[in-house]
Amino acid sequence: MSSAEFENIATLEDEFTESPEVTPERQVEMSAHDISIWFNKRKVLEGVNIEFPKRTVTALIGPSGCGKSTFLRTLNRLHELIPGAALAGEIRYEGKDIYAPEVDPVLIRLAIGMVFQKPNPFPSMTIRGNVLAGLKLSGMKRPNHDDIVEETLTAAGLWTEVKDRLNHEAGSLSGGQQQRLVIARALAVNPHVLLMDEPCSALDPASTLKVEETIRQLSKDITIIIVTHNMQQAVRVADYTAFFLAAEGEPGHIVEQGPTTDIFGNPQDQRTLDYVNGRFG
Amino acid sequence: MTTTLFDNSRVSELRLQQAALPWRRRTANFRVAVAIAVIVPPVIVGLLWFLTSIPKPILMLVIYLPLQLIASAIAAWSQRGTKAVLDSAIIVCAIGATIFSFVILISVLWSIVSNGVHALSWAFLFQNNVYISPSTPLGYGGVGNAILGTIMVVVIASLFAVPLGIATAVYITEVRGKAVPYVRFLVQAMSGVPSVVAGLFILTVFILTGVLQSSGFAAGLAYAILMLPTVARTAEEVLKLIPDDLRTGALALGSTRARVVMKVVLPAAKTGLITAAILGIARVVGETAPLLLTALSNDQTVLNPFNQPITALPAYIFSNVAQPYPDAVTRAWGAALVLVILVAILFTITRVLTAKRVRR
Ligand SMILES: Nc1ncnc2c1ncn2[C@@H]1O[C@H](COP(=O)(O)OP(=O)(O)OP(=O)(O)O)[C@@H](O)[C@H]1O
Ligand SMILES: [Mg+2]
């Protein structure tokens, strides 16, 4: 990967922040404090407390329907767009409450990018247009668009497949290619945090590995929070893991969280042990 | 390259296998039954058609339809038992209804073409109606001014109705404000407004008060009132089809709501929005009453939409069709044919434009 751009950011940020190796206690980029989430009257998540240290990968795992996607969407204020959605608690980004009244959600979403469960390229735009869509939509100015396109598509593992047809419509790509395209699109606006909701569920093993490599590479510069159903993937990419669970008819919560090696190697809770060994969920 | 993977002999082998699939095969018996059911009733009715003097509609409805139903029912029953009888009846009725509406459509088109084609000539298309009276023979004068008039009025109406209609749809589907139910109700109510009322509205509010003259512009406003609900409702349906994933995707990139609409939703819906505009135009292009109230008529070619009355095709047809001179009536048919052709051209152009966008 031509990572000149990313190294650039890294050196830039190093001027302002201590590098992770120096401090024993890693700096916290985002944190959730006593978060509960409702859809209308129905509470789907309760009492979630978690910290996401800077430049780390955190995996959120847990059975289907336990509220992982919903939680992820509260981290960049997408949850509030659903009619009837409500939230209690506090989400902090760089120490500040992102739901404070004076905060502009548009800027939060620009700094905290997201890749969705289903690929959603913009059908009216070309492949190149999709990669650069974030710049156009947010009004962000970055020079050298050609370089951005090549870098982000390379990072997403799509460059060699599309470099000769950048001006074709995005709809002409396969589902897996579309997913890698939207990963590139999310990277083009230089997010500080990247939320990924099962980014590899539509990908073949080769592109999955490619994307995982990209995640590892990116985590040198940015904070990544990834939802995954793939245990091996969590082990491969994540520094930390949080296990979500919702009992029948009750809101979901975090059963256990900590370094990935602990969650998978030495879980404290029987339910975690069962889940990571594929015994339920 | 990968072409070596495909061996032609394998492919034809596969085809053979497919042809031999048991559920594909139909017995000779079955074919005979179908052939009898399809051939016998038409032959009987064909004989009656030429040899007797039974009125044709009665022949078709009272004799042919029951005969066909019975024949198909028997054929179906002989092959697949009683359950198939209802099946066959439904199929016969569906085919019958399709043919019926098709025949009506074709006969309308045919009457326009056969009556109007005599009037067509270059002079008819390009000359105006000055010095022409209803008794003037064909070959002199034409609808050139009325074609221009129709185009002018429709363009003016579109300039108002298309942006307003799309804006209304955007309010309903994108802004999702508190007033959505009321706006929707209003649009629905508006689509029930008779065209003569739209004309009267412009006449009393703008023309009789001296704000506007009877002109192409006034007629365009009246057309716009009629066009707006069609455009708004079609555009709403189109925008509803755009998946929410695209909107959240754009928002997640740090986009404002306005940019989501302008740069993602509307471009993604472009084809459908063009269709909405076309449907709106098709809705109004033949309306006569608003023209008579707001544009009056004018035998001359008019290019200024503001200062004088104009004639558009429906008004031309209206004023000629009731004349006691056969040539005037033929001219009316000719104008109707021109109107149909104009609409057909419009539809074809958009079909070509939109099809291209989909393929690329
Ligand atoms: N828009 C919505 N309206 C109402 N309820 C919702 C909505 N979205 C999600 N839910 C409910 O919230 C709960 C959590 O859903 P969520 O999508 O967060 O699960 P998940 O953990 O991401 O599951 P999966 O692994 O299958 O993606 C579910 O019970 C779901 O039914
Ligand atoms: Mg999910």
Side-chain angles (χ1 to χ4, degrees):
Chain A
M1 189 181 72
S2 64
S3 56
E5 189 75 35
F6 298 125
E7 276 161 21
N8 230 339
I9 306 164
T11 49
L12 249 178
E13 294 217 336
D14 280 343
E15 289 170 21
F16 299 106
T17 60
E18 296 142 295
S19 76
E21 292 79 24
V22 180
T23 43
E25 197 72 357
R26 282 190 159 185
Q27 231 176 324
V28 174
E29 174 104 57
M30 290 197 83
S31 54
H33 303 268
D34 211 12
I35 291 295
S36 297
I37 301 171
W38 290 262
F39 283 109
N40 299 310
K41 290 263 140 50
R42 197 168 141 243
K43 199 175 198 179
V44 299
L45 215 56
E46 188 174 54
V48 174
N49 284 292
I50 188 170
E51 291 189 338
F52 303 104
K54 234 182 180 123
R55 294 177 204 146
T56 59
V57 180
T58 305
L60 310 182
I61 60 171
S64 182
C66 67
K68 305 178 299 291
S69 301
T70 309
F71 177 65
L72 208 61
R73 290 161 64 96
T74 59
L75 294 178
N76 68 344
R77 297 194 59 170
L78 279 180
H79 174 67
E80 71 201 53
L81 296 170
I82 297 168
L87 173 88
E90 206 169 275
I91 304 249
R92 293 200 198 124
Y93 166 62
E94 291 180 337
K96 290 192 278 292
D97 180 11
I98 63 168
Y99 284 90
E102 71 276 6
V103 174
D104 182 359
V106 169
L107 296 180
I108 292 294
R109 294 181 198 126
L110 187 58
I112 306 175
M114 182 155 190
V115 174
F116 295 83
Q117 211 162 343
K118 272 183 283 174
N120 55 356
F122 302 131
S124 57
M125 300 180 191
T126 61
I127 293 172
R128 187 188 142 89
N130 262 279
V131 175
L132 298 173
L135 300 180
K136 192 167 127 191
L137 286 167
S138 65
M140 183 195 250
K141 301 255 184 319
R142 282 184 72 187
N144 301 335
H145 284 187
D146 287 337
D147 295 344
I148 296 174
V149 171
E150 178 166 355
E151 255 161 45
T152 54
L153 282 173
T154 309
L158 188 60
W159 175 248
T160 46
E161 281 159 77
V162 299
K163 65 172 189 282
D164 298 323
R165 47 175 177 146
L166 290 174
N167 289 321
H168 286 224
E169 277 193 9
S172 66
L173 296 175
S174 78
Q177 289 172 328
Q178 290 182 5
Q179 185 67 338
R180 283 175 280 157
L181 177 64
V182 298
I183 291 175
R185 184 178 74 185
L187 295 180
V189 287
N190 257 338
H192 291 225
V193 180
L194 188 58
L195 312 174
M196 306 181 97
D197 194 351
E198 294 178 45
C200 301
S201 56
L203 299 187
D204 64 301
S207 358
T208 300
L209 284 179
K210 181 75 217 168
V211 169
E212 288 177 5
E213 199 181 297
T214 303
I215 292 174
R216 291 299 339 162
Q217 186 70 28
L218 286 169
S219 70
K220 291 179 185 148
D221 305 319
I222 66 177
T223 307
I224 293 175
I225 304 166
I226 179 174
V227 172
T228 179
H229 283 293
N230 182 336
M231 297 301 128
Q232 286 80 37
Q233 180 166 67
V235 172
R236 282 193 298 260
V237 302
D239 306 303
Y240 300 94
T241 298
F243 173 49
F244 284 69
L245 189 63
E248 187 92 12
E250 278 177 32
H253 61 285
I254 295 185
V255 171
E256 192 171 351
Q257 54 176 312
T260 304
T261 43
D262 290 354
I263 297 289
F264 283 88
N266 182 24
Q268 301 302 308
D269 195 296
Q270 182 63 34
R271 292 168 294 178
T272 317
L273 182 67
D274 288 346
Y275 185 75
V276 299
N277 288 314
R279 282 201 279 271
F280 77 87
Chain B
M1 284 289 287
T2 47
T3 42
T4 47
L5 283 178
F6 291 99
D7 182 341
N8 271 335
S9 64
R10 262 306 274 156
V11 172
S12 48
E13 204 179 301
L14 280 172
R15 283 225 188 86
L16 273 178
Q17 278 175 10
Q18 223 162 38
L21 282 177
W23 50 268
R24 276 267 177 225
R25 206 190 296 141
R26 289 186 160 151
T27 57
N29 225 343
F30 180 86
R31 283 168 212 272
V32 171
V34 169
I36 290 173
V38 171
I39 293 170
V40 171
V43 168
I44 294 176
V45 172
L47 288 176
L48 290 176
W49 183 289
F50 291 110
L51 302 182
T52 66
S53 57
I54 307 171
K56 308 296 191 254
I58 292 182
L59 186 67
M60 294 308 288
L61 277 177
V62 181
I63 301 179
Y64 174 70
L65 194 60
L67 206 61
Q68 182 66 62
L69 277 172
I70 292 166
S72 317
I74 292 174
W77 175 76
S78 73
Q79 292 303 308
R80 295 189 288 141
T82 42
K83 273 186 196 159
V85 172
L86 188 64
D87 228 18
S88 79
I90 288 173
I91 291 173
V92 169
C93 288
I95 294 177
T98 310
I99 293 174
F100 183 70
S101 40
F102 203 71
V103 164
I104 288 183
L105 188 71
I106 293 290
S107 59
V108 167
L109 272 181
W110 175 244
S111 66
I112 294 176
V113 172
S114 62
N115 287 307
V117 74
H118 308 294
L120 285 197
S121 65
W122 292 122
F124 187 71
L125 288 179
F126 293 116
Q127 287 181 5
N128 61 27
N129 211 30
V130 183
Y131 308 129
I132 306 297
S133 73
S135 56
T136 313
L138 292 174
Y140 301 96
V143 292
N145 61 328
I147 292 176
L148 282 179
T150 283
I151 291 174
M152 181 198 291
V153 174
V154 165
V155 166
I156 289 170
S158 306
L159 287 181
F160 285 97
V162 172
L164 266 178
I166 292 177
T168 309
V170 165
Y171 180 77
I172 293 175
T173 63
E174 308 300 317
V175 183
R176 298 179 197 177
K178 289 224 162 51
V180 163
Y182 310 105
V183 172
R184 222 191 239 132
F185 175 78
L186 211 72
V187 169
Q188 202 144 2
M190 248 181 109
S191 62
V193 170
S195 59
V196 67
V197 173
L200 274 173
F201 175 73
I202 298 298
L203 179 70
T204 51
V205 173
F206 292 111
I207 298 178
L208 295 184
T209 55
V211 178
L212 290 175
Q213 286 184 295
S214 297
S215 61
F217 187 76
L221 288 185
Y223 267 20
I225 293 174
L226 296 170
M227 213 174 141
L228 183 63
T230 310
V231 176
R233 296 182 70 179
T234 318
E236 183 193 335
E237 294 305 319
V238 168
L239 292 184
K240 268 195 208 145
L241 290 180
I242 303 296
D244 262 347
D245 289 355
L246 291 185
R247 300 186 178 95
T248 30
L251 288 170
L253 289 166
S255 173
T256 59
R257 306 275 294 266
R259 284 213 181 102
V260 174
V261 173
M262 296 309 293
K263 301 206 163 143
V264 174
V265 176
L266 292 185
K270 194 166 142 199
T271 315
L273 293 176
I274 293 174
T275 308
I278 297 300
L279 284 180
I281 291 174
R283 159 78 182 80
V284 296
V285 72
E287 287 296 347
T288 318
L291 294 176
L292 300 180
L293 292 168
T294 59
L296 308 178
S297 71
N298 191 337
D299 288 338
Q300 285 170 348
T301 307
V302 179
L303 292 176
N304 185 331
F306 295 106
N307 65 356
Q308 52 184 317
I310 63 156
T311 290
L313 283 166
Y316 180 95
I317 297 168
F318 180 79
S319 65
N320 277 278
V321 76
Q323 299 289 346
Y325 302 94
D327 283 346
V329 175
T330 304
R331 272 200 279 266
W333 280 108
L337 180 57
V338 169
L339 190 56
V340 169
I341 292 172
L342 268 185
V343 173
I345 291 174
L346 195 66
F347 271 61
T348 317
I349 289 175
T350 43
R351 264 295 156 89
V352 170
L353 286 180
T354 52
K356 217 195 232 159
R357 264 204 54 77
V358 171
R359 237 183 285 123
R360 220 189 337 123

